[in-house]
Each structure stands twice: as structure tokens, then as C-alpha cells.
Amino acid sequence: MSERNKPRFATLWLDGCSGCHMSFLDMDEWLLDLAGQVEVVYSPLVDTKAFPENVDITLIEGGVASHEDIEKLLKIRARTKTLIAFGDCAVTANVPAMRNPFGLEAVMKQVYLDSDAIQPQVPNLIVPQLLDRVVPVHRIVKVDVYIPGCPPSARTIKAVVGELLAGRQPDVMALTRFGA
Ligand code: SF4
């Protein structure tokens, strides 16, 4: 099958620990099957610089913590048919949202000013402007499929992606649960 006829597949890493992508890599030899079934058009796992148009499936790891994250999500939602909240941080905000109860200002002060840095200062260049609160993906854009788990197991990811590629709606809650 030519690359043009294959479903176009992407993954995105927002504010997570990359553990969900590591679990994705744990699919081991099924990655070869997947590579034969899809065209990987964007991912931190491949060398692509811009998110393209007309993507069929996008897995999104991580919570939404910055204005830059929102911009990315809006663009990706507009360009993706089936958008998947991939892992507990994407589904609930989970670990990155642990800063929420303290407030952004106090967290920045603790990290950048009260630490033992040689020149304590809050960065205002290069670092994306943070949101006051970290939120899950569905608070910003419509999500089509949720895969809970911290991280979701490779078996779960394989089952969900496999069902979608077969044109079926996966029964995700039969496969995993939060924190699994
Ligand atoms: S869900 Fe767990 S493994 Fe995935 S990014 Fe969040 S903390 Fe890491």
C-alpha cells in the first residue's frame, strides 16, 4: 500500500513525563506492524517539525499548562479526525495539576527564587507563558477517545489503536483504569 493510502498517525507530548510515550514504545514488535499500517506524520519519536493537515489519529500525552499548549491543541484538533487523550495527565491533568492548589505565583517563587540557584530570577524569555491552572485536554478541545492509565499499558494502547484502525470504536474501560 502506498503511504498516501495509509491512515495518517501522530502523537504529541504536552505536559507529561513522557512515560506514556515510553509505554507506546513498549508495544515492541507491534510497532513494526503499526509502521506498516499507518503513515507517522508527526511525533516526538520522529523527525518532523510541523503538525500537518488531514491527520486521522492523534494521541496526546500530558496536561495543558501553557498558552503555547492551547495554541498547539487548537491547531491539532482542527487537523485531526480522531483525537485521543492519552494517559491520566491528558484525561484529568493528573501530575502536572499538582501545582494547582498552590497557585502559579507561589510555585514560580519556590522553583526560581527560593531555590539555591546562583542568580535567582523568574524566566520571562523562551519559557512558554504558563496558565494559572493546568487543565485536562477536554477542557480546551473536544476529545474523541480517552485512554486512562499512568501510563496506559502497551497492551491497552495496542488494543485501542488497533480497534480504531479496524474501523471499530474501542471499549476502553474494559481495557484499563485510572492509574493502571
Ligand atoms: S499519565 Fe503518568 S506516565 Fe503519562 S505523562 Fe502523566 S505521569 Fe507520565
Side-chain angles (χ1 to χ4, degrees), residues 154-166:
R155 181 181 61 84
T156 298
I157 302 164
K158 175 185 171 186
V160 171
V161 173
E163 287 290 278
L164 289 171
L165 290 175

Side-chain angles (χ1 to χ4, degrees), residues 90-143:
V91 175
T92 70
N94 195 33
V95 173
M98 291 172 74
R99 76 164 161 87
N100 290 352
F102 303 100
L104 178 58
E105 196 175 327
V107 170
M108 297 296 271
K109 180 172 178 295
Q110 173 67 35
V111 171
Y112 290 108
L113 301 181
D114 296 345
S115 69
D116 59 355
I118 295 171
Q119 291 182 303
Q121 57 184 315
V122 175
N124 56 14
L125 294 174
I126 301 177
V127 177
Q129 189 185 355
L130 296 178
L131 300 172
D132 287 340
R133 297 178 63 79
V134 183
V135 297
V137 170
H138 70 266
R139 288 282 297 276
I140 307 299
V141 296
K142 176 177 173 284
V143 169

Side-chain angles (χ1 to χ4, degrees), residues 15-21 61-62 86-90 94-96 149-152:
D15 291 75
C17 72
S18 88
C20 291
H21 273 80
E61 172 190 318
F86 176 34
D88 285 352
C89 290
N94 195 33
V95 173
C150 182

Side-chain angles (χ1 to χ4, degrees), residues 12-178:
L12 179 74
W13 177 12
L14 293 180
D15 291 75
C17 72
S18 88
C20 291
H21 273 80
M22 294 301 106
S23 196
F24 182 88
L25 292 177
D26 275 347
M27 292 194 294
D28 298 331
E29 68 272 14
W30 197 72
L31 289 171
L32 296 176
D33 289 348
L34 181 63
Q37 292 184 58
V38 303
E39 179 186 1
V40 181
V41 292
Y42 186 89
S43 173
L45 305 172
V46 298
D47 185 24
T48 46
K49 304 291 187 241
F51 197 91
E53 303 275 358
N54 300 319
V55 178
D56 293 288
I57 297 173
T58 300
L59 294 168
I60 298 188
E61 172 190 318
V64 185
S66 69
H67 293 276
E68 184 182 68
D69 290 345
I70 292 177
E71 280 176 32
K72 283 184 193 167
L73 266 184
L74 292 174
K75 180 196 284 186
I76 286 166
R77 173 70 274 184
R79 297 179 176 186
T80 298
K81 282 190 198 129
T82 302
L83 189 142
I84 302 175
F86 176 34
D88 285 352
C89 290
V91 175
T92 70
N94 195 33
V95 173
M98 291 172 74
R99 76 164 161 87
N100 290 352
F102 303 100
L104 178 58
E105 196 175 327
V107 170
M108 297 296 271
K109 180 172 178 295
Q110 173 67 35
V111 171
Y112 290 108
L113 301 181
D114 296 345
S115 69
D116 59 355
I118 295 171
Q119 291 182 303
Q121 57 184 315
V122 175
N124 56 14
L125 294 174
I126 301 177
V127 177
Q129 189 185 355
L130 296 178
L131 300 172
D132 287 340
R133 297 178 63 79
V134 183
V135 297
V137 170
H138 70 266
R139 288 282 297 276
I140 307 299
V141 296
K142 176 177 173 284
V143 169
D144 301 303
V145 177
Y146 295 86
I147 310 181
C150 182
S153 70
R155 181 181 61 84
T156 298
I157 302 164
K158 175 185 171 186
V160 171
V161 173
E163 287 290 278
L164 289 171
L165 290 175
R168 296 186 290 265
Q169 192 64 20
D171 181 5
V172 180
M173 296 320 291
L175 299 167
T176 189
R177 58 187 166 77
F178 291 100

